[in-house]
Amino acid sequence: MHKTQDNRAWFLILPVVLLVAFSAVIPLMTVVNYSVQDIFGPGQRYLIGLEWFRETLRDPEVHRAFLRQIAFSGIVLAIEIPLGVLVALGLPRVGWKSSLAIVILALPLLIPFNVVGTIWQLYARPEIGFFGRVINDLGIVFNYTADPVSAWVTIVAMDVWHWTPLVALLAFAGLRSIPDAYYQAARIDGASRVAIFRYIELPKMRSVLTIAVLLRFMDSFMIYAEPFVVTGGGPGSSTTFLSIRLVNMAVGQFDLGPAAAFSLLYFLMILLVSYVFYTILQRISAQ
Amino acid sequence: MAQIVIDSLRHSYDGNLSNPDALALKQIDLTWEDGRAYALLGPSGCGKSSMLNIISGLVRQTSGRILFDGTDVSDMPTEKRNIAQVFQFPVLYDTMTVEQNLAFPLKNRRLPADEIRRRVADVAEMLELGPLLKKRAAGLGAAEKQKISLGRGLVRSDVAAVLFDEPLTVIDPHVKFELRRKLKLLHEELGLTLIYVTHDQSEALTLADEVVVMAEGEVMQAGTPEELYERPSHTFVGNFIGSPGMNFIPCRADGERLAFSGGSLPLPPALSRKIVSGQSLKIAIRPQHLRHGQPRTERIAAQLVELLPRGDSYVADLRIGETAVAMRVPDDAELPSGELGVTFPPKHTLLYADDRLIGDLDA
Amino acid sequence: MTMITHTSAQPRTGMAALLKGNVLNSRAAGPVLLGLYLSFQMLPIYWLVRMSLMQPGDIMSSSAFLPKAPSFDNYKTIFTDPAWYMSYVNSLSYVVLNVIITLSVALPAAYAFSRYKFIGDKHVFFWLFTNRMAPPAVFLLPFFQLYSAVGLFDTPLAVALAHCLFNVPLAVWILEGFMSGVPREIDETAYLDGYSFPRFFLTVFLPLVRAGIGVTAFFCFMFSWVELLLAKTLTSVEAKPIVVAMTRTVSASGLDWGLLAAAGVLTILPGAAVIYFVRNYIAKGFALGRV
């Protein structure tokens, strides 16, 4: 598309800019404001520079939350991406079966986050939940309120259940865009199913998979409601991820200054790691 | 290479043969001889791609048989049929080098490594891909990519036929000429059976030993380019082949003459006997064969409407009676103007009854 | 060429192919495994439905797969108690508001990005994109203060506006993609024909991108409907959405699992309906790779 140079286009984007500025810039300014002040009470504010930032960076609780978050994001990405691709490979391409499969597949994506948490809260209970009961019947001790491992398993299973469909639908769209002729040529060449996947399907899915990885990483890094409804961050703080920690600080303990500093660092973290991820993925697909 | 016989082929994509209008292929009986180059020519939707895919096994025909050297391969999967197919756009394995692309069909058939290397080198030389062997296939131009697609077919020694589905569609015009020439050379060198689908008649007429013209799921005519040009068996073929297409003048038999709007021509008795009453008759002649300005011959009056320059010649848009007729005028001949008399050389003037050729006017 | 069906002479029935020992190549492996996966996916939802049809006492005591003494009592409660059904109304209000606002501002902006170059265009686009990367948790307190300050606290409008933070960048991105698929010649022809910009945009251009508008509306609906944190922070009593009403139920003593489950099921229904209506466009929308 040839674009013409015309600064009057600003009028067209002004509503968007104003709206997002209102929604983002002003609040961010507030956060920056709090992050460099110490508030003892109304009217008693002292500018303390980067003290909160230093404190946050030194806080062992924050470190632990960060490590848990990295572990969580890593695990769910490692499961959801391959699983999503596999599901996409199995989806029928046309016909009523395709529509039906897509509708069922997409269902978890439209469930409010806290309801996702509620579903799994019930589902994984040892006595009245199907999942919990079946596992306990198999002889494995499983109780997500008492045991950190069980809590992690529950939350990971929940996230995989919740978000694999997104990866699957993206991968499916990528697969559908491959022209028939490639499959036909592969058949003529006598290629096995695995070879077709490796040499035709996977390369052609690169761009959608990049988007899937980026999206899943970002969203898993920001996760709040689902794990909070199931475990509340526990047992203890074993499932306290970054967002949960932040909300605890801001709402629960009213430490506005440290919470603000943490917020900014959190945001920066996501931007940075997203950027790194993006560059790596671009490099891989350019090869 | 093999002889391919198509026996009583009928095909419908929804498997239902009862509705004649829904059939992609109506009734095809055709033999493709071993080692000859064929062009499968026709307008879009005529069924030529369907036919190709049925021969290669990518589509299974609804009824009828396909025989390779006498064996019925209708139930044989594509991989076993030893067919190579080149598609409309280059189909490559982007992540592989040119060499790996060419070696792929052989690796899947588990040939020994040095045999693979040898055949790949042979084919690469044939197609002038030698210097590109180590390069990644993805970065090359469309013409090279199509050569690689072709190479993947040629690299298998047991290939029965090479099928082309409008392969030069994405190639630049000046490169097309080169590739066509290369294909013809390869055909002569390797003795391949080629089936080349196209809607471009000049491509078909230059490449092929024989041309099969299809329309609406049926074979209209199969023959050498000369036969199709000089003796089209159906008005469709006469119209489709040649640019501009054949002229058709509706007429009726009137004793010893054929009468039409604007004049009449002598009707030889032998031809007259072939006419059955009730048939719609048409006189046909190619624009190239019409003559004007010839004294001492029977001439038909024509009105010049427009003279169109066509590079090395002109096409005169004429009116005979109520019929529009095109005439080709070479550059060095005298240009017509206004009213003129045109001559219909009997040997090149054909008669069609109900759109089928029944003879020419040469007694 | 897309009419070519992959029919060939391989054994079509799954068992025959499976018995040939070639599981990966068998045609049945795909549908069977997919069927298994989808069943596993529906299990937790089924479990929720099962609970919604049972009374609290039965829930604690019965561990049968099928619901014991199923009844619609929990649903009746929800439909008759204003506190419950109004919260659904509140949720729907802000979601619909959000879709309307987002589309209204994103459509012209997407058009601008699609057709024009202007000072700062790449930077603005990138800046919009970074807002999608902002953790909602960061905005809790500032939003609370901001919306209280402008008097919008506890209104659907507040939540709708707050959700614009991440929906608008997404909308601009998706719409720009669809709009770039419409050739400029159409714009130029319309201007030559004497259309004014608003008339051209509304009567000529928008109908051409209605698939894009549909896809965008779907994603905006989706992201707004499922969000919890901001919806919770910006509402209290008047505009309490269902997602909050449910969490309040959990924190109150005397957990009524059946009622909670019923409320949950009712939150899934709008989503299911929406997916059903756009099912043919989902693949298309994802195909742009622009979620």
Side-chain angles (χ1 to χ4, degrees):
Chain A
M1 168 89 44
H2 169 70
K3 302 191 194 181
T4 45
Q5 175 79 27
D6 190 346
N7 288 328
R8 288 176 306 160
W10 264 95
F11 286 113
L12 292 173
I13 67 167
L14 213 52
V16 159
V17 171
L18 288 177
L19 186 59
V20 179
F22 172 74
S23 293
V25 172
I26 299 181
L28 272 179
M29 306 263 90
T30 320
V31 174
V32 170
N33 202 5
Y34 280 129
S35 70
V36 292
Q37 291 182 359
D38 201 350
I39 301 169
F40 287 106
Q44 288 182 299
R45 300 170 170 222
Y46 301 92
L47 197 65
I48 57 163
L50 297 174
E51 188 54 42
W52 292 134
F53 291 94
R54 273 185 231 121
E55 196 180 293
T56 305
L57 285 170
R58 274 186 253 130
D59 184 349
E61 266 311 305
V62 170
H63 292 170
R64 265 171 264 164
F66 179 69
L67 289 172
R68 281 180 218 121
Q69 183 72 72
I70 296 269
F72 176 71
S73 294
I75 295 175
V76 295
L77 266 177
I79 301 179
E80 285 167 16
I81 304 287
L83 185 58
V85 171
L86 268 174
V87 171
L89 287 173
L91 278 172
R93 304 274 169 100
V94 286
W96 66 268
K97 285 191 203 155
S98 183
S99 296
L100 180 66
I102 290 179
V103 169
I104 297 181
L105 186 64
L107 211 48
L109 296 174
L110 273 102
I111 304 180
F113 294 162
N114 69 307
V115 179
V116 172
T118 304
I119 290 178
W120 276 83
Q121 221 239 59
L122 295 171
Y123 190 59
R125 285 186 160 242
E127 330 85 33
I128 59 173
F130 185 74
F131 186 64
R133 210 178 13 122
V134 164
I135 297 193
N136 278 307
D137 284 349
L138 287 174
I140 308 172
V141 175
F142 184 79
N143 187 348
Y144 65 78
T145 44
D147 165 40
V149 173
S150 307
W152 270 78
V153 167
T154 308
I155 294 192
V156 167
M158 172 177 66
D159 197 84
V160 168
W161 177 85
H162 190 189
W163 289 109
T164 302
L166 182 67
V167 180
L169 286 172
L170 278 170
F172 181 65
L175 280 176
R176 279 229 317 211
S177 68
I178 301 177
D180 271 346
Y182 282 89
Y183 290 101
Q184 291 165 350
R187 280 174 61 187
I188 291 175
D189 287 342
S192 67
R193 184 74 187 84
V194 178
I196 292 180
F197 177 72
R198 189 169 154 205
Y199 295 118
I200 299 177
E201 290 174 324
L202 203 53
K204 299 240 176 270
M205 287 201 290
R206 255 192 227 124
S207 61
V208 283
L209 284 182
T210 306
I211 295 181
V213 169
L214 223 60
L215 269 181
R216 280 314 304 139
F217 166 74
M218 271 167 26
D219 288 344
S220 70
F221 218 74
M222 300 191 235
I223 200 172
Y224 175 75
E226 303 97 303
F228 187 71
V229 171
V230 179
T231 62
S237 54
S238 57
T239 57
T240 300
F241 304 121
L242 284 173
S243 276
I244 299 179
R245 170 103 190 103
L246 175 54
V247 173
N248 285 343
M249 285 173 70
V251 176
Q253 297 154 262
F254 270 102
D255 282 340
L256 295 182
F262 185 9
S263 293
L264 290 175
L265 288 173
Y266 190 10
F267 195 179
L268 231 90
M269 224 186 291
I270 296 190
L271 284 175
L272 211 78
V273 184
S274 296
Y275 180 71
V276 168
F277 246 113
Y278 180 70
T279 324
I280 295 181
L281 290 168
Q282 288 289 77
R283 291 266 169 78
I284 296 181
S285 53
Q287 272 175 1
Chain B
M1 289 296 133
Q3 179 207 58
I4 301 176
V5 171
I6 303 192
D7 179 23
S8 308
L9 185 70
R10 292 161 75 210
H11 184 72
S12 159
Y13 277 105
D14 54 24
N16 183 3
L17 289 176
S18 50
N19 181 5
D21 291 326
L23 289 177
L25 293 170
K26 288 190 178 132
Q27 172 81 7
I28 313 272
D29 291 277
L30 212 48
T31 301
W32 311 86
E33 293 298 343
D34 187 1
R36 306 203 81 199
Y38 293 89
L40 194 48
L41 182 62
S44 313
C46 67
K48 49 194 201 293
S49 293
S50 307
M51 171 107 93
L52 212 67
N53 286 320
I54 288 176
I55 295 177
S56 63
L58 293 169
V59 171
R60 205 219 183 275
Q61 72 274 21
T62 317
S63 88
R65 303 187 302 157
I66 312 278
L67 304 158
F68 282 18
D69 277 339
T71 319
D72 188 348
V73 300
S74 310
D75 286 313
M76 205 185 276
T78 306
E79 308 78 87
K80 299 232 165 55
R81 287 197 199 190
N82 300 325
I83 287 282
Q85 191 160 339
V86 182
F87 297 89
Q88 243 169 332
F89 54 89
V91 174
L92 296 175
Y93 304 102
D94 290 330
T95 50
M96 300 187 197
T97 62
V98 174
E99 185 170 15
Q100 288 166 332
N101 259 280
L102 294 174
F104 192 61
L106 299 177
K107 283 183 76 179
N108 288 328
R109 287 167 171 83
R110 299 178 207 288
L111 260 62
D114 41 308
E115 163 107 25
I116 296 182
R117 224 174 301 127
R118 194 175 50 79
R119 309 218 85 246
V120 168
D122 280 346
V123 170
E125 200 197 308
M126 255 195 275
L127 292 169
E128 288 157 9
L129 290 171
L132 298 171
L133 277 178
K134 297 293 181 194
K135 284 216 157 122
R136 292 197 68 213
L140 301 172
E144 270 77 36
K145 285 185 177 176
Q146 278 296 48
K147 281 201 212 167
I148 299 174
S149 297
L150 175 59
R152 279 211 321 278
L154 296 177
V155 84
R156 293 153 47 204
S157 57
D158 55 351
V159 165
V162 184
L163 310 176
F164 295 86
D165 195 349
E166 309 197 43
L168 300 184
T169 312
V170 295
I171 310 287
D172 287 335
H174 57 279
V175 185
K176 266 197 226 204
F177 183 71
E178 256 305 302
L179 279 180
R180 259 187 245 166
R181 198 181 59 89
K182 187 96 218 147
L183 262 177
K184 204 148 170 75
L185 280 174
L186 275 175
H187 169 63
E188 280 155 24
E189 208 180 297
L190 299 175
L192 311 162
T193 307
L194 292 186
I195 304 179
Y196 192 98
V197 165
T198 178
H199 60 268
D200 180 344
Q201 43 171 307
S202 59
E203 212 166 65
L205 296 171
T206 47
L207 270 176
D209 298 328
E210 261 192 56
V211 178
V212 176
V213 177
M214 281 183 73
E216 295 185 7
E218 290 184 281
V219 174
M220 288 286 135
Q221 185 172 1
T224 62
E226 293 74 44
E227 282 167 23
L228 259 62
Y229 196 78
E230 296 295 345
R231 287 277 179 275
S233 61
H234 194 281
T235 51
F236 174 85
V237 180
N239 198 24
F240 191 73
I241 304 250
S243 177
M246 206 167 215
N247 291 305
F248 293 101
I249 306 173
C251 61
R252 68 195 153 73
D254 195 3
E256 289 191 354
R257 294 187 76 82
L258 284 166
F260 49 88
S261 155
S264 70
L265 285 173
L267 174 62
L271 190 56
S272 163
R273 278 194 285 274
K274 292 193 197 164
I275 300 174
V276 176
S277 76
Q279 285 178 324
S280 87
L281 297 173
K282 291 192 184 124
I283 292 177
I285 186 165
R286 286 216 175 267
Q288 287 74 344
H289 293 138
L290 272 175
R291 296 268 170 275
H292 79 281
Q294 292 197 317
R296 292 197 309 268
T297 59
E298 184 164 352
R299 286 180 292 177
I300 308 289
Q303 182 83 14
L304 176 69
V305 174
E306 204 183 342
L307 199 59
L308 302 155
R310 277 276 206 101
D312 64 341
S313 60
Y314 289 87
V315 170
D317 186 7
L318 306 174
R319 197 116 320 190
I320 297 181
E322 284 160 5
T323 321
V325 168
M327 178 175 79
R328 191 120 164 291
V329 182
D331 224 0
D332 52 353
E334 178 204 330
L335 295 176
S337 61
E339 295 267 341
L340 57 145
V342 289
T343 315
F344 286 67
K347 214 194 301 245
H348 297 291
T349 310
L350 308 173
L351 186 64
Y352 286 84
D354 283 344
D355 289 328
R356 298 211 171 272
L357 179 66
I358 53 174
D360 62 42
L361 265 53
D362 199 17
Chain C
M1 291 308 280
T2 47
M3 274 200 355
I4 307 297
T5 46
H6 293 282
T7 50
S8 89
Q10 264 180 332
R12 291 228 234 134
T13 53
M15 281 321 279
L18 264 171
L19 288 170
K20 277 177 74 180
N22 208 347
V23 177
L24 270 175
N25 280 341
S26 82
R27 298 222 154 209
V32 165
L33 290 175
L34 180 71
L36 235 73
Y37 177 81
L38 291 178
S39 310
F40 280 132
Q41 190 179 278
M42 291 306 282
L43 261 178
I45 297 180
Y46 163 73
W47 204 248
L48 190 75
V49 173
R50 171 191 177 275
M51 292 227 174
S52 72
L53 297 170
M54 289 163 57
Q55 300 305 311
D58 291 335
I59 292 176
M60 297 315 275
S61 62
S62 160
S63 56
F65 191 70
L66 291 171
K68 178 171 166 191
S71 78
F72 285 108
D73 287 348
N74 292 316
Y75 292 100
K76 284 203 201 97
T77 311
I78 295 181
F79 281 120
T80 51
D81 181 355
W84 276 110
Y85 65 69
M86 277 315 288
S87 63
Y88 283 105
V89 171
N90 290 333
S91 286
L92 278 172
S93 321
Y94 69 66
V95 170
V96 168
L97 262 177
N98 177 265
V99 170
I100 297 175
I101 299 176
T102 304
L103 280 176
S104 316
V105 302
L107 279 167
Y111 183 79
F113 282 115
S114 164
R115 286 343 195 206
Y116 297 109
K117 286 196 289 227
F118 45 91
I119 304 178
D121 53 4
K122 289 208 177 49
H123 298 95
V124 173
F125 202 74
F126 178 70
W127 169 66
L128 285 179
F129 185 62
T130 57
N131 288 302
R132 175 68 176 78
M133 295 196 221
V138 166
F139 291 96
L140 277 193
L141 225 39
F143 270 6
F144 179 75
Q145 295 185 336
L146 175 63
Y147 285 97
S148 302
V150 297
L152 282 176
F153 178 72
D154 205 19
T155 62
L157 187 58
V159 185
L161 287 173
H163 284 173
C164 284
L165 176 64
F166 41 82
N167 273 349
V168 163
L170 182 70
V172 170
W173 196 28
I174 296 180
L175 286 170
E176 195 265 334
F178 276 94
M179 288 183 178
S180 296
V182 177
R184 279 204 85 151
E185 283 75 37
I186 301 205
D187 306 24
E188 282 151 23
T189 316
Y191 294 140
L192 286 173
D193 286 346
Y195 280 77
S196 66
F197 178 70
R199 191 163 154 237
F200 151 72
F201 196 67
L202 289 172
T203 61
V204 176
F205 195 71
L206 287 189
L208 288 172
V209 290
R210 58 184 191 280
I213 297 180
V215 170
T216 307
F218 169 73
F219 283 121
C220 288
F221 174 89
M222 179 175 138
F223 284 123
S224 190
W225 178 250
V226 300
E227 206 274 334
L228 172 78
L229 258 186
L230 294 175
K232 187 164 142 190
T233 311
L234 293 170
T235 59
S236 139
V237 179
E238 287 298 314
K240 188 196 309 186
I242 181 59
V243 291
V244 177
M246 284 179 69
T247 52
R248 298 263 157 88
T249 309
V250 173
S251 56
S253 56
L255 296 153
D256 186 345
W257 294 118
L259 195 57
L260 192 65
V265 170
L266 288 175
T267 63
I268 302 181
L269 291 180
V274 170
I275 305 177
Y276 179 75
F277 283 125
V278 301
R279 66 192 182 282
N280 293 322
Y281 294 106
I282 287 185
K284 205 179 190 185
F286 278 90
L288 276 198
R290 292 173 174 242
V291 182

